Amino acid sequence: MGSFEKKVTRFWEIFINQNGYNKVLTGLKNTVIIAVVGLAIGIVIGTLIAAIEVMPKYRRLPRILDKVCRFYVGLFRGTPIVVQLLVTYYVVLPLLGVNMPPVNVCILVFGLNSGAYVSEIMRGGILSVDPGQMEAGRAVGLSYSVTMMKIVVPQAVKNILPTLGNELIALIKETSVVSFVGAADLYVAFSYIGSNNYEFMVPYLAMALIYIIMVMIIAMFVRLMERSLRKSDRRN
Amino acid sequence: MIDVIDLRKSFGGVEVLKGITTTIREGEKVAIVGPSGSGKSTFLRCLNCLEDPTSGSIIFEGVDIADMKVDINIHRRHMGMVFQQFNLFNNKTVLENIMLAPLHVKLTDLRKKKLKNVFIKLYNLFASDKKPLYEIKTTRQQIKQEVRENALRLLRRIGLEDKADAYPSTLSGGQKQRIAIIRALAMNPKVILFDEPTSALDPEMVKEVLDLIKQLAAEGMTMVIVTHEMGFAREVATRVLFMDDGQILEENTPDQFFTNPQNPRAKEFLSKVL
């Protein structure tokens, strides 16, 4: 045990005295930003796709949009996120002539990626809402899109909130690959600390701990949100 | 008021409505009765195009609303509908349920007018012939207030003003259905379509709902009612349509229909239910 204590002391020294904590904080910030903003983008994209997929398909436009959405979902579910990051950063953006900081690229890719997953979650959520709700909205003269946004989607979101929380947790953990394109996340921070004296045991343990704590906090938040959204179900 | 001309509807390959032609005049209370699977509900849902008719036309106030090019949302505002399963918006309180549609319609109108005024002002800057602006008499706040008061007035009418802030899941079936009826009323419709309004209710709640419908009938509201409550149909309706197998087999006054039905299938049906 003596050597472990020594390792902890050394880790602590680098963490405090050699600016290690700064790197960790930056990494933490990037991780959270990429996951949260990514999920926000994902929810917007996913809701749009889900709304298109559940649309009645008499006309040609919804049918074409549906094909496009399916292609998109297939593309982003069919490739690992590392590949998406690399292709976007080294192929797509240079071809388009766009220059973006790595963190922004990560936000974009994580948003697009989670959009594909959220669309399926959201579609299930929308289908779980009683079709009578849509009919009632249409019957009082609201348009399809207004009924969707004001009546159906809020109820769908309530139903899928636990699954969306899961998605956020998955995103948080998946951000550990963003160093592939040079974005500074927790992994980069703790590797830096570890490589300072070639001692990786304590830094990586600390990294694991931080991930666990983050996930626990998110789970708590999701539960709180769920409870406040459930108020329309509660009987007084 | 509503002219239905050779209305047909197929689901997949099955023809559910086989050419229905009838006219619903203002102030009439039309009861539609018939065995289940006869197409009564489909017919009613075709009247406001919740089901798009396969062919035929529905002329509502001079406009063929079965035409897909018509903006159906505008016409639906004048046709209330009450469902068997109530279909109150679960994520809204009772008051919000009633206010939602009128508020949305009025605020959208206001927004459109304001937008048009901006363009007219721009046009007036450059043109010599000044166009008049659209008159805007009310602010958003006033509209909200007005709609809210109307909703509360309707709630008071059915004696449920204390439920204004409750969610639908906390209400009984009878309360839900009465709120669904005044939600339809809040749009000041010209006709209300009832799709088996009491079929999903516990027996002791049927009366409060039927009483409200009777009140509306007495006030002269035009109604089309699909129902299994024969006594109610007889009491309220001014005309009874008997449907079976996607067709109207008999059209008669309630007294004639219930005492002396002409059609053999209507006779058979009545002998089973009365």
Side-chain angles (χ1 to χ4, degrees):
Chain A
M1 247 3 249
S3 79
F4 185 74
E5 268 163 30
K6 220 192 271 173
K7 281 175 180 174
V8 172
T9 331
R10 242 190 283 161
F11 165 73
W12 200 246
E13 195 189 301
I14 297 168
F15 186 74
I16 301 294
N17 296 336
Q18 297 188 21
N19 243 352
Y21 67 92
N22 238 338
K23 293 236 171 208
V24 171
L25 281 182
T26 316
L28 196 62
K29 190 189 82 188
N30 284 344
T31 294
V32 171
I33 285 182
I34 292 169
V36 171
V37 180
L39 184 68
I41 297 175
I43 288 176
V44 173
I45 295 177
T47 310
L48 278 177
I49 294 179
I52 289 168
E53 286 192 331
V54 297
M55 231 185 231
K57 306 216 168 35
Y58 308 127
R59 311 221 176 128
R60 193 181 301 148
L61 184 68
R63 272 201 295 250
I64 294 172
L65 286 176
D66 187 56
K67 288 255 161 62
V68 175
C69 290
R70 264 177 213 205
F71 174 73
Y72 168 87
V73 172
L75 192 68
F76 277 90
R77 283 204 306 188
T79 49
I81 190 134
V82 183
V83 175
Q84 290 162 20
L85 274 173
L86 292 175
V87 169
T88 311
Y89 192 67
Y90 293 108
V91 181
V92 178
L93 290 181
L95 278 180
L96 293 173
V98 182
N99 201 355
M100 248 195 224
V103 173
N104 292 9
V105 176
C106 293
I107 291 175
L108 181 74
V109 172
F110 273 82
L112 290 172
N113 178 279
S114 76
Y117 286 95
V118 172
S119 76
E120 286 298 298
I121 300 173
M122 194 62 96
R123 193 171 65 96
I126 290 175
L127 291 180
S128 75
V129 175
D130 173 16
Q133 298 284 312
M134 172 57 85
E135 281 179 0
R138 298 308 307 275
V140 285
L142 301 177
S143 67
Y144 178 85
S145 50
V146 170
T147 316
M148 206 61 180
M149 290 333 276
K150 290 201 168 180
I151 308 296
V152 179
V153 169
Q155 293 184 46
V157 168
K158 196 171 72 180
N159 291 345
I160 62 171
L161 204 67
T163 329
L164 275 186
N166 240 359
E167 176 70 14
L168 180 60
I169 289 170
L171 278 183
I172 287 269
K173 291 186 292 184
E174 275 175 9
T175 52
S176 56
V177 300
V178 297
S179 55
F180 272 74
V181 294
D185 71 333
L186 283 177
Y187 165 72
V188 173
F190 282 104
S191 298
Y192 163 82
I193 293 176
S195 56
N196 237 333
N197 54 358
Y198 307 105
E199 202 290 295
F200 288 97
M201 187 182 182
V202 180
Y204 284 171
L205 259 178
M207 179 162 80
L209 205 67
I210 290 187
Y211 273 114
I212 289 178
I213 292 172
M214 259 197 296
V215 168
M216 276 159 70
I217 291 174
I218 292 168
M220 199 184 69
F221 263 113
V222 170
R223 205 158 301 156
L224 282 178
M225 256 171 83
E226 229 187 305
R227 200 184 298 166
S228 75
L229 279 179
R230 288 266 165 224
K231 70 177 184 290
S232 63
D233 292 351
R234 226 182 287 149
R235 290 163 181 275
N236 3 316
Chain B
M1 183 184 241
I2 307 178
D3 284 306
V4 183
I5 301 162
D6 195 31
L7 177 68
R8 286 167 193 277
K9 172 72 185 174
S10 312
F11 289 109
V14 186
E15 196 166 45
V16 183
L17 296 181
K18 299 173 179 168
I20 289 184
T21 303
T22 187
T23 299
I24 292 150
R25 281 171 288 273
E26 194 158 353
E28 251 189 331
K29 293 99 180 83
V30 179
I32 304 173
V33 299
S36 43
S38 59
K40 322 182 282 292
S41 282
T42 309
F43 171 53
L44 194 78
R45 291 160 59 83
C46 278
L47 284 181
N48 69 351
C49 294
L50 271 186
E51 304 288 355
D52 291 313
T54 311
S55 71
S57 23
I58 297 156
I59 317 283
F60 177 59
E61 308 208 291
V63 183
D64 183 2
I65 56 173
D67 187 348
M68 292 291 271
K69 290 186 200 84
V70 172
D71 183 1
I72 185 68
N73 296 324
I74 291 172
H75 299 285
R76 280 201 188 123
R77 285 171 200 165
H78 305 298
M79 303 173 116
M81 181 149 190
V82 175
F83 297 88
Q84 183 178 357
Q85 299 294 340
F86 330 127
N87 293 349
L88 291 179
F89 304 131
N90 292 327
N91 57 333
K92 305 272 180 201
T93 63
V94 167
L95 193 63
E96 287 167 345
N97 259 282
I98 306 168
M99 288 171 62
L100 180 71
L103 197 60
H104 178 80
V105 168
K106 285 183 180 163
L107 289 183
T108 313
D109 279 353
L110 183 73
R111 210 160 41 230
K112 274 187 191 152
K113 270 188 193 168
K114 279 185 177 165
L115 194 67
K116 277 181 189 160
N117 274 352
V118 170
F119 283 115
I120 292 173
K121 275 181 192 160
L122 266 178
Y123 174 87
N124 284 352
L125 275 183
F126 301 106
S128 50
D129 55 325
K130 305 292 184 205
K131 280 191 195 169
L133 294 178
Y134 285 94
E135 238 184 299
I136 295 175
K137 289 179 204 136
T138 46
T139 62
R140 287 176 63 89
Q141 281 312 315
Q142 278 170 328
I143 289 178
K144 269 185 201 164
Q145 191 60 31
E146 202 177 290
V147 170
R148 194 187 150 82
E149 264 160 27
N150 189 41
L152 284 172
R153 183 180 60 79
L154 288 165
L155 269 178
R156 265 196 296 280
R157 169 183 183 160
I158 57 169
L160 289 178
E161 65 267 42
D162 55 321
K163 298 283 185 196
D165 296 318
Y167 282 93
S169 58
T170 63
L171 303 175
S172 75
Q175 290 171 332
K176 281 187 203 172
Q177 192 62 299
R178 286 186 291 147
I179 287 162
I181 293 172
I182 61 166
R183 176 177 69 179
L185 270 186
M187 293 294 283
N188 289 322
K190 302 197 164 98
V191 53
I192 301 187
L193 313 174
F194 292 89
D195 188 2
E196 301 191 20
T198 57
S199 297
L201 291 175
D202 291 339
E204 75 261 37
M205 291 168 182
V206 170
K207 191 174 171 296
E208 61 185 64
V209 172
L210 291 186
D211 282 347
L212 178 60
I213 300 176
K214 279 179 207 164
Q215 265 181 42
L216 296 182
E219 286 164 18
M221 176 63 76
T222 313
M223 298 179 176
V224 184
I225 310 166
V226 171
T227 185
H228 291 294
E229 299 276 334
M230 293 304 152
F232 170 71
R234 188 168 185 172
E235 187 181 344
V236 169
T238 54
R239 183 155 56 109
V240 177
L241 302 185
F242 174 73
M243 279 184 72
D244 194 12
D245 199 22
Q247 287 162 311
I248 296 178
L249 295 182
E250 183 163 347
E251 223 177 312
N252 218 331
T253 61
D255 276 340
Q256 281 290 314
F257 178 78
F258 286 108
T259 51
N260 187 17
Q262 304 299 311
N263 185 284
R265 262 192 278 181
K267 275 180 200 163
E268 193 195 325
F269 173 72
L270 285 176
S271 71
K272 279 180 195 157
V273 297
L274 285 184

